[in-house]
Short mmCIF file of all heavy atoms in Angstrom, two decimals:
data_model
loop_
_atom_site.label_atom_id
_atom_site.label_comp_id
_atom_site.label_asym_id
_atom_site.label_seq_id
_atom_site.Cartn_x
_atom_site.Cartn_y
_atom_site.Cartn_z
N TRP A 13 23.43 4.12 5.51
CA TRP A 13 23.98 5.33 6.24
C TRP A 13 24.07 5.04 7.77
O TRP A 13 25.03 5.37 8.33
CB TRP A 13 22.97 6.43 5.91
CG TRP A 13 23.07 7.67 6.85
CD1 TRP A 13 22.37 7.94 7.95
CD2 TRP A 13 24.07 8.58 6.81
NE1 TRP A 13 22.84 9.14 8.58
CE2 TRP A 13 23.85 9.59 7.79
CE3 TRP A 13 25.19 8.80 5.85
CZ2 TRP A 13 24.64 10.69 7.95
CZ3 TRP A 13 25.93 10.02 6.07
CH2 TRP A 13 25.81 10.95 7.19
N ARG A 14 23.05 4.39 8.45
CA ARG A 14 23.06 4.05 9.77
C ARG A 14 24.19 3.12 10.09
O ARG A 14 24.82 3.39 11.27
CB ARG A 14 21.70 3.63 10.26
CG ARG A 14 20.56 4.57 10.25
CD ARG A 14 19.28 3.99 10.97
NE ARG A 14 18.72 2.89 10.32
CZ ARG A 14 17.83 2.96 9.41
NH1 ARG A 14 17.30 4.11 8.91
NH2 ARG A 14 17.29 1.86 8.73
N ARG A 15 24.43 2.16 9.26
CA ARG A 15 25.47 1.21 9.58
C ARG A 15 26.88 1.86 9.46
O ARG A 15 27.79 1.58 10.36
CB ARG A 15 25.36 0.10 8.48
CG ARG A 15 26.28 -1.16 8.80
CD ARG A 15 25.89 -2.38 7.98
NE ARG A 15 26.24 -2.06 6.60
CZ ARG A 15 25.43 -2.02 5.49
NH1 ARG A 15 24.15 -2.16 5.72
NH2 ARG A 15 25.92 -1.92 4.34
N SER A 16 26.97 2.72 8.46
CA SER A 16 28.31 3.38 8.29
C SER A 16 28.63 4.48 9.32
O SER A 16 29.82 4.67 9.53
CB SER A 16 28.40 3.94 6.87
OG SER A 16 28.26 2.91 5.90
N THR A 17 27.59 5.07 9.87
CA THR A 17 27.83 6.29 10.82
C THR A 17 27.75 5.93 12.16
O THR A 17 28.15 6.83 13.14
CB THR A 17 26.93 7.41 10.26
OG1 THR A 17 25.55 7.01 10.63
CG2 THR A 17 27.06 7.81 8.93
N THR A 18 27.37 4.81 12.56
CA THR A 18 27.06 4.62 14.05
C THR A 18 28.40 4.64 14.81
O THR A 18 29.39 4.04 14.47
CB THR A 18 26.51 3.06 14.30
OG1 THR A 18 25.23 3.07 13.61
CG2 THR A 18 26.44 2.76 15.77
N GLY A 19 28.44 5.52 15.71
CA GLY A 19 29.49 5.69 16.67
C GLY A 19 30.64 6.64 15.94
O GLY A 19 31.66 6.93 16.65
N ARG A 20 30.43 7.02 14.73
CA ARG A 20 31.47 7.82 13.95
C ARG A 20 30.89 9.14 13.39
O ARG A 20 31.55 9.70 12.57
CB ARG A 20 32.01 6.96 12.94
CG ARG A 20 32.61 5.61 13.38
CD ARG A 20 33.05 4.85 12.16
NE ARG A 20 34.15 5.50 11.47
CZ ARG A 20 34.37 5.43 10.10
NH1 ARG A 20 33.58 4.52 9.33
NH2 ARG A 20 35.43 6.06 9.41
N LEU A 21 29.64 9.51 13.67
CA LEU A 21 29.00 10.54 13.06
C LEU A 21 29.68 11.81 13.00
O LEU A 21 29.99 12.43 11.97
CB LEU A 21 27.53 10.63 13.60
CG LEU A 21 26.72 11.60 12.86
CD1 LEU A 21 26.36 11.01 11.30
CD2 LEU A 21 25.25 11.78 13.57
N GLN A 22 30.23 12.12 14.11
CA GLN A 22 31.02 13.46 14.15
C GLN A 22 32.32 13.47 13.36
O GLN A 22 32.58 14.42 12.65
CB GLN A 22 31.24 13.93 15.59
CG GLN A 22 31.83 15.23 15.78
CD GLN A 22 32.02 15.66 17.26
OE1 GLN A 22 31.63 15.05 18.15
NE2 GLN A 22 32.66 16.88 17.40
N GLU A 23 33.02 12.34 13.49
CA GLU A 23 34.10 12.25 12.80
C GLU A 23 34.02 12.37 11.30
O GLU A 23 34.68 13.04 10.46
CB GLU A 23 35.00 10.89 13.07
CG GLU A 23 36.02 10.60 12.22
CD GLU A 23 36.23 9.00 12.15
OE1 GLU A 23 35.58 8.18 12.89
OE2 GLU A 23 36.88 8.50 11.10
N LEU A 24 32.93 11.59 10.85
CA LEU A 24 32.67 11.52 9.34
C LEU A 24 32.08 12.86 8.95
O LEU A 24 32.43 13.30 7.74
CB LEU A 24 31.70 10.43 9.06
CG LEU A 24 32.15 8.99 9.35
CD1 LEU A 24 31.09 8.06 9.25
CD2 LEU A 24 33.29 8.68 8.34
N ALA A 25 31.42 13.57 9.71
CA ALA A 25 30.85 14.88 9.32
C ALA A 25 32.02 15.85 9.07
O ALA A 25 32.06 16.63 8.09
CB ALA A 25 29.90 15.35 10.35
N VAL A 26 32.95 15.80 9.97
CA VAL A 26 34.26 16.65 9.82
C VAL A 26 34.97 16.37 8.60
O VAL A 26 35.32 17.17 7.75
CB VAL A 26 35.11 16.59 11.05
CG1 VAL A 26 36.37 17.33 10.84
CG2 VAL A 26 34.54 17.18 12.26
N ARG A 27 35.24 15.00 8.40
CA ARG A 27 36.02 14.72 7.10
C ARG A 27 35.29 14.97 5.86
O ARG A 27 35.76 15.45 4.96
CB ARG A 27 36.19 13.28 7.13
CG ARG A 27 37.26 12.91 8.24
CD ARG A 27 37.45 11.34 8.27
NE ARG A 27 37.85 10.80 7.06
CZ ARG A 27 38.04 9.48 6.76
NH1 ARG A 27 37.49 8.67 7.61
NH2 ARG A 27 38.46 9.15 5.57
N THR A 28 33.95 14.90 5.91
CA THR A 28 33.09 15.32 4.67
C THR A 28 33.12 16.62 4.40
O THR A 28 33.30 17.19 3.24
CB THR A 28 31.55 14.78 4.97
OG1 THR A 28 31.56 13.27 5.18
CG2 THR A 28 30.78 15.22 3.79
N ARG A 29 32.99 17.58 5.40
CA ARG A 29 33.13 18.93 5.24
C ARG A 29 34.49 19.39 4.72
O ARG A 29 34.64 20.23 3.80
CB ARG A 29 32.82 19.80 6.55
CG ARG A 29 32.63 21.19 6.35
CD ARG A 29 32.12 21.99 7.47
NE ARG A 29 31.69 23.34 7.17
CZ ARG A 29 32.75 24.39 7.11
NH1 ARG A 29 33.95 24.16 7.41
NH2 ARG A 29 32.28 25.56 6.75
N GLU A 30 35.56 18.74 5.24
CA GLU A 30 36.86 19.10 4.81
C GLU A 30 36.95 18.76 3.17
O GLU A 30 37.62 19.48 2.45
CB GLU A 30 38.03 18.42 5.54
CG GLU A 30 38.13 18.77 6.88
CD GLU A 30 39.11 17.89 7.79
OE1 GLU A 30 39.19 16.78 7.34
OE2 GLU A 30 39.46 18.36 8.87
N SER A 31 36.46 17.56 2.85
CA SER A 31 36.47 17.22 1.46
C SER A 31 35.63 18.23 0.63
O SER A 31 36.05 18.56 -0.53
CB SER A 31 36.04 15.77 1.24
OG SER A 31 36.74 14.88 1.87
N VAL A 32 34.50 18.66 1.13
CA VAL A 32 33.67 19.58 0.27
C VAL A 32 34.54 20.85 0.10
O VAL A 32 34.53 21.43 -0.95
CB VAL A 32 32.45 19.90 1.11
CG1 VAL A 32 31.74 21.18 0.55
CG2 VAL A 32 31.49 18.59 1.02
N LEU A 33 35.16 21.43 1.08
CA LEU A 33 35.80 22.60 1.04
C LEU A 33 37.04 22.44 0.04
O LEU A 33 37.35 23.47 -0.59
CB LEU A 33 36.27 23.17 2.33
CG LEU A 33 35.20 23.60 3.38
CD1 LEU A 33 35.65 23.95 4.67
CD2 LEU A 33 34.27 24.68 2.79
N ARG A 34 37.60 21.25 0.11
CA ARG A 34 38.85 21.09 -0.91
C ARG A 34 38.27 21.19 -2.35
O ARG A 34 38.97 21.67 -3.12
CB ARG A 34 39.52 19.89 -0.57
CG ARG A 34 40.58 19.80 0.55
CD ARG A 34 41.32 18.56 0.53
NE ARG A 34 40.63 17.31 0.69
CZ ARG A 34 40.43 16.86 1.95
NH1 ARG A 34 40.83 17.40 3.03
NH2 ARG A 34 39.70 15.56 2.00
N GLN A 35 37.10 20.57 -2.42
CA GLN A 35 36.72 20.67 -3.84
C GLN A 35 36.25 21.91 -4.28
O GLN A 35 36.52 22.37 -5.39
CB GLN A 35 35.45 19.56 -3.99
CG GLN A 35 35.88 18.16 -4.06
CD GLN A 35 34.82 17.10 -4.51
OE1 GLN A 35 33.78 17.58 -5.07
NE2 GLN A 35 35.11 15.89 -4.39
N TYR A 36 35.57 22.69 -3.34
CA TYR A 36 35.26 24.02 -3.71
C TYR A 36 36.53 24.98 -4.06
O TYR A 36 36.55 25.82 -4.78
CB TYR A 36 34.26 24.65 -2.76
CG TYR A 36 32.84 24.34 -2.94
CD1 TYR A 36 32.17 24.01 -1.70
CD2 TYR A 36 32.38 24.13 -4.08
CE1 TYR A 36 30.74 23.60 -1.91
CE2 TYR A 36 30.97 23.81 -4.32
CZ TYR A 36 30.25 23.50 -3.19
OH TYR A 36 28.91 23.06 -3.31
N ALA A 37 37.55 24.62 -3.22
CA ALA A 37 38.75 25.36 -3.47
C ALA A 37 39.29 25.06 -4.94
O ALA A 37 39.83 25.98 -5.60
CB ALA A 37 39.88 25.05 -2.54
N GLY A 38 39.13 23.84 -5.33
CA GLY A 38 39.62 23.41 -6.76
C GLY A 38 38.65 24.20 -7.70
O GLY A 38 39.16 24.62 -8.80
N ALA A 39 37.47 24.42 -7.42
CA ALA A 39 36.51 25.13 -8.41
C ALA A 39 36.88 26.60 -8.44
O ALA A 39 36.89 27.20 -9.50
CB ALA A 39 35.05 25.04 -7.87
N ARG A 40 37.28 27.11 -7.34
CA ARG A 40 37.61 28.54 -7.24
C ARG A 40 38.94 28.69 -8.03
O ARG A 40 38.92 29.71 -8.86
CB ARG A 40 37.92 29.07 -5.80
CG ARG A 40 38.37 30.50 -5.70
CD ARG A 40 38.75 30.79 -4.30
NE ARG A 40 39.10 32.24 -4.19
CZ ARG A 40 38.42 33.25 -3.89
NH1 ARG A 40 37.07 33.01 -3.63
NH2 ARG A 40 38.92 34.39 -3.80
N GLU A 41 39.93 27.78 -7.94
CA GLU A 41 41.18 27.96 -8.66
C GLU A 41 40.82 27.78 -10.16
O GLU A 41 41.38 28.59 -10.99
CB GLU A 41 42.09 26.92 -8.34
CG GLU A 41 43.36 26.87 -9.12
CD GLU A 41 44.39 25.75 -8.52
OE1 GLU A 41 44.09 25.12 -7.68
OE2 GLU A 41 45.56 25.79 -9.21
#
């Protein structure tokens, strides 16, 4: 986790949340 997120934490957090919301949109549908 530390190796993958160093210097990219905020960017990766945004992308992860976007993916989470896309999946929940699929569940809603």
Side-chain angles (χ1 to χ4, degrees):
W13 167 259
R14 290 192 294 269
R15 189 169 73 246
S16 298
T17 60
T18 299
R20 305 177 61 206
L21 189 59
Q22 184 173 356
E23 169 211 341
L24 294 171
V26 169
R27 291 177 59 192
T28 299
R29 188 171 190 277
E30 289 172 347
S31 295
V32 165
L33 295 179
R34 277 196 299 271
Q35 288 197 8
Y36 280 140
R40 181 186 180 93
E41 182 178 355

